[in-house]
Amino acid sequence: MPDVLTAGEVQSILRLGRNAVYTLLQNGTLRSVRFGQRFLIPREALRDLLAGNGERGATGTPVKGHA
């Protein structure tokens, strides 16, 4: 995996839609750096998201199938 990912690459990795990825970026759930119109996501930010939010959705409510 490259050191820096684009929103499209994160979308493919997480198998999420475009709107879901941009919501994560815009509300700060997924750390990123803006470079012009592009979001650049450090690889570690994606790993942190997966490690820290694996049980809860972006709104803080449990994800379906998890208590």
Side-chain angles (χ1 to χ4, degrees), residues 42-62:
R43 175 181 55 208
E44 292 304 314
L46 181 59
R47 287 186 176 160
D48 291 345
L49 172 76
L50 295 173
N53 283 340
E55 292 296 317
R56 298 190 102 41
T59 61
T61 56

Side-chain angles (χ1 to χ4, degrees), residues 6-66:
T6 65
E9 290 169 331
V10 170
Q11 185 178 338
S12 295
I13 292 167
L14 296 179
R15 297 180 182 173
L16 292 174
R18 184 177 192 268
N19 289 344
V21 171
Y22 279 96
T23 296
L24 293 172
L25 292 167
Q26 291 171 345
N27 69 20
T29 302
L30 178 58
R31 289 184 296 109
S32 66
V33 175
R34 288 290 299 257
F35 190 74
Q37 293 293 315
R38 299 179 74 179
F39 284 97
L40 300 177
I41 300 102
R43 175 181 55 208
E44 292 304 314
L46 181 59
R47 287 186 176 160
D48 291 345
L49 172 76
L50 295 173
N53 283 340
E55 292 296 317
R56 298 190 102 41
T59 61
T61 56
V63 176
K64 285 186 179 179
H66 293 86

